[in-house]
Amino acid sequence: MSSFAFPIILVGSLLLSGCSDPSVEKKAEFPIESHKVAVFEYNYGATVDYVYRFYFLANTSEVTKAPDPDQAFLEVSDIENMKVEIEGDKIFISCIAGDIYSYDSRIFVDGKEYFPKLNQRCGD
Protein backbone atom coordinates (compact mmCIF):
# COMPACT_ATOMS: atom_id res chain seq x y z
CA MET A 1 0.00 0.00 0.00
CA SER A 2 1.38 3.41 -0.90
CA SER A 3 1.94 6.04 1.76
CA PHE A 4 -0.96 8.27 0.64
CA ALA A 5 -3.66 5.55 0.62
CA PHE A 6 -4.11 5.50 4.41
CA PRO A 7 -4.97 9.22 4.76
CA ILE A 8 -7.53 8.92 1.92
CA ILE A 9 -9.19 5.89 3.56
CA LEU A 10 -9.18 7.64 6.96
CA VAL A 11 -10.73 10.85 5.57
CA GLY A 12 -13.38 8.84 3.69
CA SER A 13 -14.38 6.88 6.78
CA LEU A 14 -14.57 10.09 8.86
CA LEU A 15 -16.87 11.70 6.29
CA LEU A 16 -19.17 8.66 6.22
CA SER A 17 -19.31 8.38 10.00
CA GLY A 18 -20.60 11.99 10.23
CA CYS A 19 -23.92 10.90 8.66
CA SER A 20 -25.78 9.50 11.63
CA ASP A 21 -29.47 9.00 12.31
CA PRO A 22 -31.21 11.83 14.16
CA SER A 23 -32.43 11.49 17.70
CA VAL A 24 -36.23 11.52 17.74
CA GLU A 25 -38.56 12.45 20.59
CA LYS A 26 -42.34 12.84 20.74
CA LYS A 27 -43.09 16.42 21.78
CA ALA A 28 -46.89 16.76 21.62
CA GLU A 29 -50.08 14.89 20.87
CA PHE A 30 -53.47 16.40 20.01
CA PRO A 31 -56.37 13.90 20.11
CA ILE A 32 -59.04 14.70 17.53
CA GLU A 33 -62.06 12.36 17.58
CA SER A 34 -60.84 8.99 16.28
CA HIS A 35 -57.44 10.40 15.22
CA LYS A 36 -54.64 12.50 16.64
CA VAL A 37 -51.95 14.86 15.48
CA ALA A 38 -48.60 13.72 16.87
CA VAL A 39 -45.52 15.96 16.75
CA PHE A 40 -42.01 14.53 16.81
CA GLU A 41 -38.78 16.47 17.22
CA TYR A 42 -35.86 15.37 15.04
CA ASN A 43 -32.43 16.46 16.27
CA TYR A 44 -29.77 16.13 13.60
CA GLY A 45 -26.97 17.36 15.82
CA ALA A 46 -24.63 20.08 14.61
CA THR A 47 -25.48 19.66 10.92
CA VAL A 48 -29.09 20.94 10.94
CA ASP A 49 -31.46 22.72 13.33
CA TYR A 50 -34.32 20.84 14.94
CA VAL A 51 -37.13 19.72 12.66
CA TYR A 52 -40.64 19.15 14.01
CA ARG A 53 -42.72 16.72 11.96
CA PHE A 54 -46.51 16.48 12.25
CA TYR A 55 -48.32 13.18 11.66
CA PHE A 56 -52.06 12.46 11.48
CA LEU A 57 -52.59 9.04 13.09
CA ALA A 58 -55.31 6.73 14.34
CA ASN A 59 -56.13 7.44 17.97
CA THR A 60 -56.27 3.74 18.89
CA SER A 61 -52.89 3.25 20.53
CA GLU A 62 -50.01 5.07 22.17
CA VAL A 63 -47.41 6.13 19.61
CA THR A 64 -43.89 6.09 21.00
CA LYS A 65 -41.89 5.64 17.82
CA ALA A 66 -42.02 8.19 15.02
CA PRO A 67 -43.58 7.04 11.76
CA ASP A 68 -41.68 7.25 8.50
CA PRO A 69 -40.62 10.90 7.92
CA ASP A 70 -42.23 10.74 4.47
CA GLN A 71 -45.64 10.37 6.17
CA ALA A 72 -45.44 13.79 7.87
CA PHE A 73 -47.91 16.35 6.56
CA LEU A 74 -46.04 19.32 8.05
CA GLU A 75 -42.40 20.07 8.89
CA VAL A 76 -41.45 23.24 10.76
CA SER A 77 -38.50 24.66 12.70
CA ASP A 78 -40.37 25.72 15.86
CA ILE A 79 -43.50 24.63 17.75
CA GLU A 80 -43.47 27.02 20.71
CA ASN A 81 -47.00 28.37 21.42
CA MET A 82 -48.46 26.45 18.46
CA LYS A 83 -52.13 25.47 18.64
CA VAL A 84 -53.93 22.59 16.89
CA GLU A 85 -57.72 22.40 16.49
CA ILE A 86 -60.12 20.52 14.23
CA GLU A 87 -63.48 21.44 12.78
CA GLY A 88 -64.99 18.74 10.59
CA ASP A 89 -62.43 17.85 7.94
CA LYS A 90 -60.17 20.86 8.62
CA ILE A 91 -57.14 20.82 10.92
CA PHE A 92 -56.20 24.34 12.00
CA ILE A 93 -52.61 24.91 13.09
CA SER A 94 -51.93 28.44 14.32
CA CYS A 95 -49.13 30.44 15.95
CA ILE A 96 -46.45 29.07 13.63
CA ALA A 97 -43.36 31.04 14.61
CA GLY A 98 -40.57 29.35 12.66
CA ASP A 99 -39.84 28.27 9.13
CA ILE A 100 -42.14 25.90 7.25
CA TYR A 101 -40.03 23.27 5.48
CA SER A 102 -42.83 21.21 3.94
CA TYR A 103 -46.62 21.19 4.00
CA ASP A 104 -49.32 18.97 2.51
CA SER A 105 -52.62 20.80 2.10
CA ARG A 106 -54.56 17.50 1.80
CA ILE A 107 -54.09 14.27 3.72
CA PHE A 108 -55.96 10.98 3.42
CA VAL A 109 -56.52 8.75 6.45
CA ASP A 110 -58.77 5.69 6.51
CA GLY A 111 -60.46 6.73 3.27
CA LYS A 112 -61.30 10.22 4.51
CA GLU A 113 -59.77 13.48 3.30
CA TYR A 114 -58.57 16.16 5.74
CA PHE A 115 -57.33 19.67 5.00
CA PRO A 116 -54.63 21.15 7.25
CA LYS A 117 -54.80 24.96 7.36
CA LEU A 118 -51.80 26.96 8.56
CA ASN A 119 -51.80 30.39 10.16
CA GLN A 120 -48.76 32.22 11.48
CA ARG A 121 -50.93 34.56 13.54
CA CYS A 122 -52.14 33.71 17.03
CA GLY A 123 -55.73 34.20 18.17
CA ASP A 124 -58.77 34.84 15.99
Side-chain angles (χ1 to χ4, degrees), residues 26 34 68 73:
K26 184 167 65 171
S34 62
D68 184 329
F73 71 89

Side-chain angles (χ1 to χ4, degrees), residues 32-100:
I32 303 167
E33 297 172 4
S34 62
H35 293 85
K36 61 185 157 194
V37 174
V39 182
F40 286 84
E41 175 187 78
Y42 288 70
N43 179 354
Y44 290 90
T47 59
V48 180
D49 289 335
Y50 291 101
V51 175
Y52 297 91
R53 291 192 171 105
F54 287 64
Y55 299 92
F56 195 62
L57 308 168
N59 202 11
T60 56
S61 64
E62 179 65 24
V63 178
T64 56
K65 183 179 176 197
D68 184 329
D70 292 336
Q71 294 176 347
F73 71 89
L74 175 64
E75 295 180 357
V76 297
S77 64
D78 188 5
I79 60 169
E80 188 174 344
N81 298 320
M82 194 173 287
K83 295 178 177 69
V84 177
E85 299 176 56
I86 189 166
E87 289 181 20
D89 62 354
K90 292 178 181 57
I91 303 166
F92 295 98
I93 301 173
S94 58
C95 298
I96 299 172
D99 295 326
I100 299 170

Side-chain angles (χ1 to χ4, degrees), residues 3-45:
S3 61
F4 66 88
F6 178 72
I8 291 173
I9 292 170
L10 179 62
V11 169
S13 66
L14 287 174
L15 288 174
L16 290 175
S17 68
C19 302
S20 62
D21 290 334
S23 67
V24 180
E25 178 182 344
K26 184 167 65 171
K27 295 308 260 186
E29 197 171 272
F30 304 92
I32 303 167
E33 297 172 4
S34 62
H35 293 85
K36 61 185 157 194
V37 174
V39 182
F40 286 84
E41 175 187 78
Y42 288 70
N43 179 354
Y44 290 90

